[in-house]
């Protein structure tokens, strides 16, 4: 075949090959087969050597034109395909802004944690330091040193889980008072939050619950100091208008002992379901530290006196947040827990 026919045929073959091309990647391969180093057009160029001298100029021109034309065709198609591919990509990656977003769940603190943190914040503002005692205690710290010897009827007030003879799960954070008084001399001002355990289980009791204990020992501490501090605590937790009252009670480690009520923050004291019509709600136990307890810890009760108080954190949480069943605090249901933010 002469070179002119070959050029014409190549032209036609380029057109044919381009017809079937559908992607820029495929186009690149086809382009190589014509314009690459060993492609058809390049091969044709090599035949220039065999062309007679007088035709060299003309054939050279034809070949150059072929190359230019072919490149143009490829470039044109390449532009078209690139544009089409970009449009397809945009369509595929379009974000539908009307689609609902993916929700990310955020956690919240457990009511117990909220109350504990609130109490720690209130009392640390009054100068209390936090002390955490062990949950596994021995009888001495949990009972004996708190003026509750083995045959004392008050031991029956708290159904104890024994782990081994003399070893138990603490029934009250009061056990920590002794550990503090043994290791630290007055002035003492500590707050002791933690879990306690009792064999007790109903709508308002759980075998494991949390308490917050407070202890103040110094020279000249009186029941008035306790009352003043409780007034402040009640206002901060339940609201400015809340009042406190002390009722005589009994705990072996305090003398005198009191039960502390707050005026009902729901009805303002008129009487409602929350306060069972009395206008008052019991929130904690307290009293002046019994002389025998101080003595047992090596603190002279003729020089020092102190007060102590203990409250159930779940009870405070239930009152403050209007939770009517204690079990809700132990189920860990996020639908319930999510409701408490502060
Ligand atoms: N430990 C007592 C209880 O669990 C509560 C209590 C009462 C603690 C009087 C005290 C207190 O510190 O002075 O029932």
């Amino acid at each position: 075949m002469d070179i002119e026919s070959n050029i014409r045929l190549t032209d036609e073959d380029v057109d044919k090959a381009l017809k079937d091309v559908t992607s820029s990647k495929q186009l690149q391969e086809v382009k190589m087969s014509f314009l690459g180093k060993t492609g058809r057009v390049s091969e044709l160029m090599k035949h220039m050597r065999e062309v007679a001298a007088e035709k060299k100029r003309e054939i050279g021109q034809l070949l150059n034109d072929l190359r230019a034309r072919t490149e143009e065709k490829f470039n044109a198609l390449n532009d078209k395909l690139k544009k089409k591919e970009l449009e397809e990509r945009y369509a595929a990656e379009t974000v539908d802004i009307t689609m609902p977003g993916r929700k990310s769940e955020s956690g919240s603190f457990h009511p117990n944690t909220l109350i504990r943190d609130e109490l720690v914040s209130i009392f640390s503002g009054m100068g209390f330091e936090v002390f955490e005692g062990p949950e596994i205690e021995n009888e001495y710290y949990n009972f004996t040193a708190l003026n509750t010897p083995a045959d004392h009827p008050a031991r029956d007030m708290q159904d104890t889980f024994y782990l081994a003879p003399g070893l138990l799960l603490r029934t009250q954070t009061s056990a920590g008072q002794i550990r503090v008084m043994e290791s630290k001399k007055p002035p003492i001002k500590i707050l002791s939050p933690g879990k306690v355990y009792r064999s007790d289980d109903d709508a308002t009791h759980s075998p494991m619950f949390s308490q917050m204990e407070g202890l103040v020992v110094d020279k000249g501490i009186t029941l008035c100091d306790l009352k003043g501090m409780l007034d402040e605590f009640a206002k901060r937790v339940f609201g400015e208008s809340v009042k406190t009252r002390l009722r005589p009670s009994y705990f072996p480690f305090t003398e005198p002992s009191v039960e502390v009520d707050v005026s009902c923050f729901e009805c303002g004291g008129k009487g409602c379901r929350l306060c069972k019509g009395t206008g008052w709600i019991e929130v904690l136990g307290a009293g002046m530290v019994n002389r025998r307890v101080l003595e047992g810890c090596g603190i002279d009760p003729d020089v020092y006196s102190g007060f102590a108080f203990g409250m159930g954190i779940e009870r405070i949480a239930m009152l403050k947040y209007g939770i009517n069943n204690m079990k809700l605090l132990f189920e860990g249901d996020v639908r319930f827990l999510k409701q408490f933010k502060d």
Side-chain angles (χ1 to χ4, degrees), residues 146 157-158 171-175 177 196 198 209 211-215 226 250-259 284-289 307-312:
L146 286 162
M157 286 161 67
Q158 304 179 353
T171 61
Q172 48 190 354
T173 44
S174 308
Q177 289 183 24
V196 298
R198 292 181 199 180
F209 61 105
Q211 284 187 332
M212 178 73 79
E213 192 85 11
L215 172 72
L226 172 64
Y250 172 75
F251 299 102
F253 38 90
T254 43
E255 182 56 37
S257 300
V258 293
E259 210 79 65
L284 58 94
M288 299 306 292
V289 182
F307 66 72
F309 58 92
M311 64 188 100

Side-chain angles (χ1 to χ4, degrees), residues 18-24 26-27 81 84-85:
L18 289 184
K19 256 197 208 130
D20 299 329
V21 171
T22 54
S23 73
S24 57
Q26 196 190 351
L27 181 71
L81 287 172
K84 188 186 97 186
E85 281 165 2

Side-chain angles (χ1 to χ4, degrees), residues 244-274:
T244 60
R245 85 176 175 187
L246 307 182
R247 275 183 294 111
S249 185
Y250 172 75
F251 299 102
F253 38 90
T254 43
E255 182 56 37
S257 300
V258 293
E259 210 79 65
V260 181
D261 295 343
V262 296
S263 59
C264 183
F265 42 86
E266 194 72 25
C267 63
K270 285 196 281 294
C272 67
R273 255 181 58 186
L274 184 67

